[in-house]
């Protein structure tokens, strides 16, 4: 048999390689923008026609290329960025494979104009399907302009697979955003079909983000900062209340390169644990600086995934840095004002309307009138006035200008909490605690506990509040393994399916930390000899069932979330319900313990634990 192996002609090889590099117009945009950045441009212009299907042009004012380099740049594996394999470990450039221009030239009509500063004239090269059709001397400004026309003109299958213009443009804008946000010091302009889409002047990170995502973004950002031997963390996370159901604005940059990392994304989510609505995703713009030696960006052809040497340490640092910032910037409470005003309050009022409203007002109002005047010299909890604002817009304005609001006073509950998250017990020491203690509490409808603050009254949902209290206690116990058990006189035997028992086994240790003492974990049955001190014996079976169903429906992938899930689930059952009479002692305990919580304003399921009614609002009702 004769030999059958032959080398593929270059243009075919290039076309095949192009498939890897260029999936769609956006891929071209990315490569060209990155080349411009590598060429040290200070201004980059991106011009697009028909979502990149007819034209993608990038003009930069970078270093340009010599005549020879201009020609060579379209050869495969032609790069000025690395010389030896070792250079791969010291990468400071976006490109390094020397494949992009060759690939693009294989599947489009490309025109390059380039000039180095020292040269009088520049070079113009035209290439179609890897064939150079002309090379001339030209007059052109310093820098490089590359036009890519009729992408995939010679691969109809690929061209036909392109999505609608709006989809392709979306992808282009995504790439543009990623590059632009990684380089706020470079000016970017983008045009589509002759109209300007983005004009991004040189700026800092924060301004760049705001320019890209709009003016309202500014108030949503919480800066993060940490510097260690391993990594420098900078950038911003979005305040939790702005978190959306869609994963929109989530950006990691490593050494100014946009990357995707499910693992680091998880670290961010873990930092937001307990602060977000169900299924909401926080936005973030996180800039990591690491030693190029400690990463490997070579594992993915389009280079959006990278490998870190010490991923675990990075995870931990990122999570704690974000957690710290969220706490420091008093972010969490703001979340709750929004919720109070926007979601729950109307419903609560709705249900009250069904009863005789004026009697209720009478009852609760008079006693507090007295309180109001007697405590007028006390601390001013005006922070809560904000939540009374009727519409969302006002609410934001108030929050945004927290520092300058005339009625603002640092002494609202929430800021108290965040100043000393660790020592929860002593939060209400001093005046504030005394003031609360002096206040009469009152139970409304066996459902709400009413008490006063200077600016009005607080109405606490007893079930949700207790859930928050129990939840935090369980969390503490689980993480610190410090729970107190009550020994059962007679061991409790509960039957479960094999699957359920396996599931319970996965959280056995955490359950023990909450105070459970298990005897045998046998087939079909578990023996319980001790239960958490916060729980009662008759609740236990229901509690475990609830836990099983929660575990089954939402299997989280890290120990951290599982702990949270466990505490959440158990707190649901342990918390006292509506309809339970509370004596004044219990009411006071509830108020004080709630406000000693780290996160007093929301229940573990992110529902408001209390609302406030300011004197102003009450006045308005008369
Ligand atoms: P890589 O970026 O991986 O080196 P490319 O195919 O993207 O490979 O580019 C090949 C070479 O062409 C680069 O190494 C660079 O020397 C040169 N080049 C490409 N674009 C530009 C530009 N806009 N300005 C100056 N030089 C460029
Ligand atoms: Mg490149």
């Amino acid at each position: 048999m004769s030999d059958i192996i032959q080398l593929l002609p270059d243009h075919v090889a290039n076309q095949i390689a192009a498939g890897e590099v260029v999936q769609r117009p956006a891929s071209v945009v990315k490569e060209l923008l990155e080349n411009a950045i590598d060429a040290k441009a200070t201004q980059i212009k991106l011009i697009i026609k028909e979502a990149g299907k007819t034209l993608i042009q990038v003009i930069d004012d970078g270093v340009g290329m010599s005549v020879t380099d201009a020609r060579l740049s379209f050869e495969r594996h032609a790069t000025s960025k690395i010389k030896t394999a070792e250079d791969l470990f010291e990468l400071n450039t976006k490109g390094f494979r020397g494949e992009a221009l060759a690939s693009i030239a294989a599947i489009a009509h490309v025109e390059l104009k380039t000039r180095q500063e020292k040269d009088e004239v520049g070079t113009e090269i035209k290439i179609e399907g890897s064939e150079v059709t002309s090379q001339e001397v030209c007059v052109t400004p310093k820098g490089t302009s590359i036009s890519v026309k009729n992408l995939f003109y010679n691969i109809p299958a690929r061209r036909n697979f392109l999505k609608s213009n709006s989809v392709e443009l979306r992808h282009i804008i995504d790439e543009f955003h990623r590059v632009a946000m990684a380089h706020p010091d470079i000016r970017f302009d983008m045009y589509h079909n002759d109209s300007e889409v983005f004009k991004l002047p040189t700026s800092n990170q924060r301004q760049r983000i705001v320019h890209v995502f709009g003016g309202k973004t500014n108030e949503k950002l919480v800066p993060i900062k940490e510097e260690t031997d391993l990594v420098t963390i900078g950038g911003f996370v979005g305040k939790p209340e702005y978190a959306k159901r869609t994963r929109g604005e989530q950006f990691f940059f490593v050494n100014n390169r946009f990357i995707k990392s499910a693992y680091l994304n998880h670290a961010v989510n873990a930092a937001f644990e307990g602060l977000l609505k169900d299924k909401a995703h926080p936005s973030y713009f996180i800039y990591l600086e690491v030693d190029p030696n400690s990463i490997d960006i070579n594992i993915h052809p389009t280079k959006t995934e990278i490998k870190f040497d010490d991923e675990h340490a990075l995870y931990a640092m990122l999570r704690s840095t974000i957690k710290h910032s969220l706490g420091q910037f008093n972010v969490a409470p703001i979340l709750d004002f929004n919720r109070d005003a926007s979601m729950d309050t109307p419903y609560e009022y709705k249900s009250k309307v069904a009863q005789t409203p004026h009697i209720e007002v009478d009852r609760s109002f008079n006693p507090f009138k007295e309180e109001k005047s007697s405590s007028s010299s006390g601390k001013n909890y005006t922070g809560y006035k904000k939540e009374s604002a009727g519409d969302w817009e006002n609410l934001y304005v108030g929050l945004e200008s927290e520092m300058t609001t005339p009625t603002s006073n640092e002494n609202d509950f929430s800021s108290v909490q965040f100043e000393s998250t660790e020592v929860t017990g002593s939060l209400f020491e001093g005046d504030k605690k005394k003031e609360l203690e002096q206040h009469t509490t009152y139970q409304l409808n066996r459902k709400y506990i009413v008490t006063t603050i200077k600016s009005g009254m607080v109405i606490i949902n007893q079930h949700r509040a207790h859930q928050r209290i129990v939840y935090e206690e369980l969390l503490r116990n689980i993480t610190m393994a410090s729970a107190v058990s009550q020994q059962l006189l007679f061991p409790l035997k509960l039957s479960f399916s094999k699957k359920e028992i396996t599931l319970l086994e996965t959280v056995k240790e955490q359950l023990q930390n909450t105070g459970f003492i298990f005897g045998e974990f046998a087939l079909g049955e578990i023996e319980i000899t001790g239960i958490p001190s916060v729980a009662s014996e008759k609740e236990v079976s229901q509690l475990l069932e609830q836990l099983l169903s929660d575990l089954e429906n939402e299997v989280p992938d890290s120990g951290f979330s599982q702990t949270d899930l466990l505490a959440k689930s158990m707190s649901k059952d342990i918390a006292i319900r509506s309809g339970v009479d509370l004596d004044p002692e219990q009411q006071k305990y509830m108020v004080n313990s709630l406000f000693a919580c780290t996160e007093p304003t929301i229940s573990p399921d992110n529902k408001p634990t209390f609302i406030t009614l300011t004197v102003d609002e009450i006045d308005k009702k008369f």
Side-chain angles (χ1 to χ4, degrees):
M1 205 174 147
S2 60
D3 298 339
I4 51 169
I5 296 181
Q6 50 178 308
L7 285 175
L8 288 174
D10 266 1
H11 72 276
V12 180
N14 281 342
Q15 266 193 22
I16 293 169
E20 233 189 82
V21 182
V22 183
Q23 283 98 28
R24 53 179 8 129
S27 335
V28 174
V29 168
K30 171 176 189 278
E31 294 297 336
L32 297 185
L33 290 176
E34 289 188 347
N35 278 349
I37 288 162
D38 285 344
K40 304 194 170 49
T42 63
Q43 291 186 32
I44 300 175
K45 216 177 256 184
L46 171 65
I47 299 165
I48 301 292
K49 291 215 165 117
E50 284 185 76
K53 292 172 186 171
T54 50
L55 175 74
I56 299 161
Q57 183 179 12
V58 171
I59 305 169
D60 69 56
D61 65 349
V63 295
M65 284 178 261
S66 69
V67 183
T68 325
D69 282 354
R71 183 70 172 253
L72 259 181
S73 67
F74 291 100
E75 294 295 323
R76 204 132 60 90
H77 308 305
T79 179
S80 55
K81 297 168 194 173
I82 55 171
K83 292 196 171 68
T84 66
E86 281 81 65
D87 293 346
L88 271 177
F89 302 103
E90 280 295 344
L91 274 179
N92 287 311
T93 55
K94 311 271 152 188
F96 57 87
R97 297 158 168 264
E99 276 182 326
L101 289 188
S103 300
I104 295 165
I107 50 168
H109 298 156
V110 178
E111 279 175 39
L112 164 78
K113 279 187 190 175
T114 186
R115 181 172 72 86
Q116 292 181 307
E117 194 160 29
K118 64 177 173 46
D119 296 334
E120 297 260 302
V121 287
T123 308
E124 178 176 355
I125 295 180
K126 291 186 180 163
I127 300 193
E128 289 181 11
S130 302
E131 295 282 317
V132 177
T133 56
S134 83
Q135 175 158 1
E136 286 165 13
V137 171
C138 75
V139 176
T140 182
K142 170 208 166 214
T144 304
S145 157
I146 301 188
S147 313
V148 176
K149 294 179 184 162
N150 308 324
L151 189 67
F152 297 130
Y153 79 100
N154 52 357
I155 317 180
R158 295 297 291 277
R159 193 164 175 92
N160 295 338
F161 267 104
L162 291 178
K163 299 269 167 28
S164 69
N165 282 3
S166 63
V167 172
E168 293 301 341
L169 184 64
R170 190 66 248 167
H171 284 288
I172 289 176
I173 290 175
D174 281 348
E175 290 297 351
F176 177 78
H177 281 172
R178 292 167 181 178
V179 175
M181 277 197 293
H183 298 277
D185 50 331
I186 299 176
R187 178 199 161 127
F188 286 89
D189 296 286
M190 175 178 166
Y191 301 83
H192 184 236
N193 293 342
D194 297 324
S195 53
E196 188 179 87
V197 189
F198 288 99
K199 193 186 188 75
L200 308 174
T202 41
S203 56
N204 59 25
Q205 277 172 0
R206 187 172 192 133
Q207 290 166 330
R208 178 53 58 91
I209 294 166
V210 171
H211 280 135
V212 168
F213 291 107
K216 286 219 164 171
T217 317
N218 196 29
E219 70 206 54
K220 304 180 188 176
L221 301 177
V222 180
I224 58 170
K225 199 160 181 55
E226 181 62 272
E227 223 176 307
T228 69
D229 289 346
L230 187 71
V231 62
T232 304
I233 302 175
F236 305 87
V237 293
K239 292 178 185 167
E241 73 268 27
Y242 295 101
K244 292 189 215 144
R245 286 202 159 222
T246 52
R247 280 170 202 275
E249 295 146 16
Q250 301 192 327
F251 297 88
F252 283 116
F253 301 96
V254 174
N255 298 350
N256 294 331
R257 178 195 297 274
F258 171 82
I259 60 135
K260 284 182 185 154
S261 168
Y263 188 66
L264 294 185
N265 176 61
H266 195 278
V268 180
N269 283 329
F272 274 88
E273 192 91 39
L275 295 176
L276 295 175
K277 285 181 249 181
D278 259 4
K279 296 195 187 77
H281 302 287
S283 49
Y284 54 80
F285 312 87
I286 296 173
Y287 297 78
L288 307 173
E289 295 291 336
V290 297
D291 181 348
N293 256 314
S294 72
I295 49 171
D296 182 359
I297 31 187
N298 209 359
I299 60 170
H300 195 274
T302 51
K303 295 166 274 165
T304 46
E305 271 142 44
I306 71 174
K307 228 169 84 52
F308 297 93
D309 282 356
D310 201 346
E311 244 183 2
H312 292 296
L314 195 56
Y315 182 102
M317 277 175 215
L318 188 58
R319 185 169 73 104
S320 68
T321 304
I322 296 172
K323 259 186 132 94
H324 178 78
S325 292
L326 288 174
Q328 200 180 24
F329 286 84
N330 282 355
V331 168
I334 293 170
L335 161 87
D336 315 308
F337 299 147
N338 294 340
R339 293 234 168 86
D340 281 350
S342 67
M343 292 154 50
D344 267 42
T345 320
Y347 291 112
E348 313 230 339
Y349 280 118
K350 249 182 227 160
S351 64
K352 277 184 202 161
V353 171
Q355 296 155 15
T356 42
H358 61 274
I359 292 178
E360 291 220 339
V361 172
D362 252 14
R363 254 205 249 150
S364 50
F365 188 55
N366 281 334
F368 296 120
K369 219 170 181 177
E370 227 177 64
E371 291 282 338
K372 190 181 56 177
S373 52
S374 73
S375 63
S376 58
S377 58
K379 294 288 177 190
N380 186 3
Y381 295 109
T382 41
Y384 286 86
K385 269 189 178 167
K386 292 166 190 161
E387 84 190 77
S388 64
D391 66 78
W392 285 79
E393 290 300 304
N394 287 350
L395 214 57
Y396 285 4
V397 171
L399 295 169
E400 179 199 357
S401 53
E402 236 166 357
M403 311 308 274
T404 51
T405 309
T407 50
S408 167
N409 184 312
E410 309 272 286
N411 291 321
D412 62 75
F413 291 136
S414 331
S415 55
V416 174
Q417 301 316 310
F418 277 84
E419 274 152 26
S420 50
T421 41
E422 245 112 72
V423 235
T424 45
S426 60
L427 287 169
F428 268 61
E429 261 168 22
D431 289 354
K432 278 164 223 113
K433 186 165 186 175
K434 245 180 262 145
E435 194 197 355
L436 265 178
E437 273 170 0
Q438 281 159 8
H439 284 192
T440 319
T441 54
Y442 177 85
Q443 196 185 19
L444 188 66
N445 247 3
R446 293 215 204 104
K447 198 171 173 189
Y448 302 105
I449 302 165
V450 184
T451 188
T452 53
I453 51 174
K454 201 214 158 208
S455 61
M457 57 201 254
V458 182
I459 303 166
I460 298 170
N461 179 315
Q462 67 184 43
H463 175 61
R464 288 187 192 167
H466 197 218
Q467 212 179 322
R468 163 54 64 180
I469 297 164
V470 173
Y471 166 77
E472 290 201 4
E473 184 173 342
L474 287 172
L475 264 191
R476 252 194 317 277
N477 290 341
I478 298 173
T479 43
M480 292 157 65
S482 61
V484 186
S485 299
Q486 13 172 346
Q487 202 78 31
L488 295 178
L489 214 46
F490 304 101
L492 207 61
K493 287 201 160 117
L494 300 173
S495 21
F496 290 101
S497 75
K498 211 175 142 199
K499 187 175 155 215
E500 288 169 330
I501 291 190
T502 326
L503 207 53
L504 282 175
E505 255 164 355
T506 63
V507 289
K508 189 175 176 183
E509 199 182 324
Q510 287 145 315
L511 282 170
Q512 282 166 339
N513 289 347
T514 67
F516 274 103
I517 303 172
F518 295 107
E520 231 175 320
F521 241 65
L523 273 185
E525 203 175 62
I526 60 172
E527 195 187 57
I528 298 169
T529 57
I531 60 170
S533 58
V534 282
S536 78
E537 192 174 340
K538 54 182 194 300
E539 285 166 352
V540 167
S541 140
Q542 197 192 338
L543 189 147
L544 289 177
E545 265 162 38
Q546 175 71 52
L547 177 67
L548 280 166
S549 112
D550 287 346
L551 281 172
E552 247 170 301
N553 291 329
E554 185 187 341
V555 187
D557 43 7
S558 86
F560 188 81
S561 335
Q562 201 158 43
T563 301
D564 185 69
L565 179 66
L566 196 95
K568 226 184 250 181
S569 173
M570 286 174 66
S571 67
K572 253 187 281 186
D573 272 292
I574 295 174
I576 56 135
R577 324 221 146 246
S578 301
V580 175
D581 258 329
L582 298 177
D583 63 35
E585 272 310 299
Q586 292 170 316
Q587 295 169 21
K588 275 214 176 89
Y589 161 83
M590 196 78 98
V591 175
N592 289 326
S593 321
L594 176 66
F595 291 112
C597 282
T598 321
E599 216 33 86
T601 52
I602 37 165
S603 75
D605 326 300
N606 287 331
K607 296 198 181 111
T609 49
F610 64 89
I611 57 160
T612 58
L613 206 51
T614 61
V615 178
D616 280 354
E617 286 171 291
I618 298 170
D619 285 345
K620 273 188 207 127
K621 293 197 185 292
F622 286 91

